[in-house]
Amino acid sequence: MSITIRELTPGFVGEVSGIDLTQPLTAAQAAELEAGMDRYAVLVYHNQRFTDDQQKAFSRNFGPLEETAGGNVTKAADRRLDPEMADVSNLGADHKPLARDDRRRLFNLGNQLWHSDSSFRAIPAKYSLLSGRTVVDAGGNTEFADMRAAYDTLDDRTKAEIEDLVCEHSLIYSRGTLGFSDLSEAEQRMFKPVRQRLARVHPATGRKSLYLSSHIGTIIGWPMPEARAFIRDLTEHAVQPRFTYSHKWRQHDFVMWDNRATMHRVRRFDETLIRDMRRTTVAGSTVTVEQLAA
Ligand code: OGA
Ligand code: MN
């Protein structure tokens, strides 16, 4: 068996076959997949029947895993999965759908807004790897936007304008957009805004991309309404259908994406049904801009 990558969306999404990710990879196989990630930015695989340990082991081929702490309002004691597995399901520890008004569910609805994972951390994520353990038939697609293409198609004036701009990102901002603001003082401290460049350079390919995320609340040095209006405008540009791919999930699909070059969101679905999605996250290695002293 050898790895084959079929292009689903030109230069953006590849569908991989000829490899069983539940088994240990050779260094050459891991390098081939990483090269595929650099060439595309999203890779889709089918029929990968992972256990959590196998998913973690596969993910570690691309770097150390990011811990999920600091990225949600679920208390450690209420977790369904271990701390290295991001639980992006609609389920509680009892494996049943969360109640409509459950605070954890309301917080997690933020995943329906276009974002880049962990842009609210000083060192944001490299890859996210999402396994569809139980998928829903209707709705629940995950959509991706190519932020390199979004950057490339900006006019020169806008490129020059954003070159050195720095944004503040926080879960407080993205959740605030949805009217979710009931955060404890400890949560507000945990979600303290961080700084990210608006135009970033990919460390492996050297390609530039627009680093947008619903976690953005302002641009440093700008009046907030002007910053938000501009970010909204750039986001509208970036998520035009010509830059996006919508993934309709099949059972045991596995999708990995490069957060340094993409945004994504999940579409709504009937949340009385079980949608069991489990994510591992490969940590990034550097800040995009210097942070303020703590
Ligand atoms: C994620 C996320 C997408 C989904 O895993 O990072 O935003 O389809 N979820 O649940
Ligand atoms: Mn996400």
Side-chain angles (χ1 to χ4, degrees):
M1 258 193 344
S2 65
I3 298 174
T4 308
I5 305 183
R6 179 171 79 95
E7 189 163 77
L8 291 183
T9 301
F12 181 39
V13 184
E15 181 185 55
V16 184
S17 54
I19 185 162
D20 177 359
L21 306 182
T22 68
Q23 299 306 307
L25 265 58
T26 63
Q29 286 175 315
E32 197 172 339
L33 294 180
E34 181 133 2
M37 286 295 282
D38 289 341
R39 164 136 187 237
Y40 297 98
V42 181
L43 292 180
V44 171
Y45 310 77
H46 304 289
N47 206 25
Q48 303 293 335
R49 294 163 186 262
F50 284 114
T51 63
D52 290 353
D53 283 343
Q54 288 170 336
Q55 181 175 340
K56 286 191 280 188
F58 170 71
S59 304
R60 286 197 181 97
N61 282 300
F62 309 102
L65 301 186
E66 186 183 276
E67 294 265 333
T68 58
N72 54 69
V73 296
T74 304
K75 309 224 166 16
D78 294 334
R79 287 189 58 85
R80 189 174 67 103
L81 308 175
D82 79 53
E84 287 173 327
M85 301 295 299
D87 192 351
V88 286
S89 74
N90 60 329
L91 309 172
D94 60 0
H95 206 73
K96 294 211 173 77
L98 296 169
R100 187 172 193 182
D101 61 355
D102 190 295
R103 188 167 179 269
R104 293 166 288 172
R105 168 176 181 266
L106 301 180
F107 185 87
N108 293 342
L109 284 174
N111 280 337
Q112 292 184 19
L113 305 176
W114 285 105
H115 64 282
S116 175
D117 287 333
S118 298
S119 74
F120 53 82
R121 299 185 196 271
I123 297 182
K126 181 183 177 186
Y127 296 163
S128 288
L129 307 96
L130 188 61
S131 164
R133 305 293 175 87
T134 304
V135 304
V136 290
D137 283 336
N141 281 19
T142 308
E143 297 183 339
F144 297 90
D146 185 346
M147 305 308 285
R148 303 161 305 182
Y151 178 86
D152 290 343
T153 49
L154 292 172
D155 58 52
D156 289 342
R157 207 171 147 270
T158 309
K159 282 181 184 161
E161 187 175 15
I162 67 170
E163 177 65 21
D164 294 317
L165 291 182
V166 174
C167 298
E168 255 189 27
H169 293 234
S170 169
L171 284 160
I172 299 170
Y173 295 133
S174 50
R175 274 47 190 177
T177 305
L178 294 181
F180 182 98
S181 55
D182 104 71
L183 296 166
S184 68
E185 275 180 26
E187 286 167 341
Q188 291 184 41
R189 275 195 302 278
M190 180 163 81
F191 299 151
K192 188 169 147 320
V194 302
R195 296 182 164 197
Q196 307 290 0
R197 301 187 62 89
L198 183 50
R200 68 183 296 186
V201 177
H202 194 282
T205 64
R207 284 187 72 180
K208 275 197 174 168
S209 68
L210 199 47
Y211 194 25
L212 291 172
S213 191
S214 59
H215 305 309
I216 295 177
T218 197
I219 299 171
I220 303 297
W222 285 41
M224 187 181 270
E226 186 181 356
R228 291 195 179 186
F230 186 38
I231 293 299
R232 228 186 241 217
D233 199 52
L234 290 171
T235 303
E236 235 171 70
H237 163 77
V239 302
Q240 294 173 71
R242 64 182 165 134
F243 303 135
T244 68
Y245 162 76
S246 181
H247 186 71
K248 176 163 176 50
W249 290 89
R250 288 189 249 153
Q251 200 82 6
H252 306 300
D253 275 358
F254 184 68
V255 180
M256 62 192 280
W257 62 88
D258 189 336
N259 288 296
R260 303 166 301 182
T262 61
M263 281 204 291
H264 63 280
R265 66 170 177 181
V266 61
R267 304 309 304 270
R268 64 198 297 271
F269 62 98
D270 177 354
E271 287 202 47
T272 63
L273 302 174
I274 289 177
R275 181 174 185 269
D276 186 354
M277 312 295 287
R278 304 185 188 197
R279 193 187 84 209
T280 35
T281 313
V282 175
S285 51
T286 54
V287 296
T288 65
V289 72
E290 207 178 302
Q291 301 297 314
L292 280 187

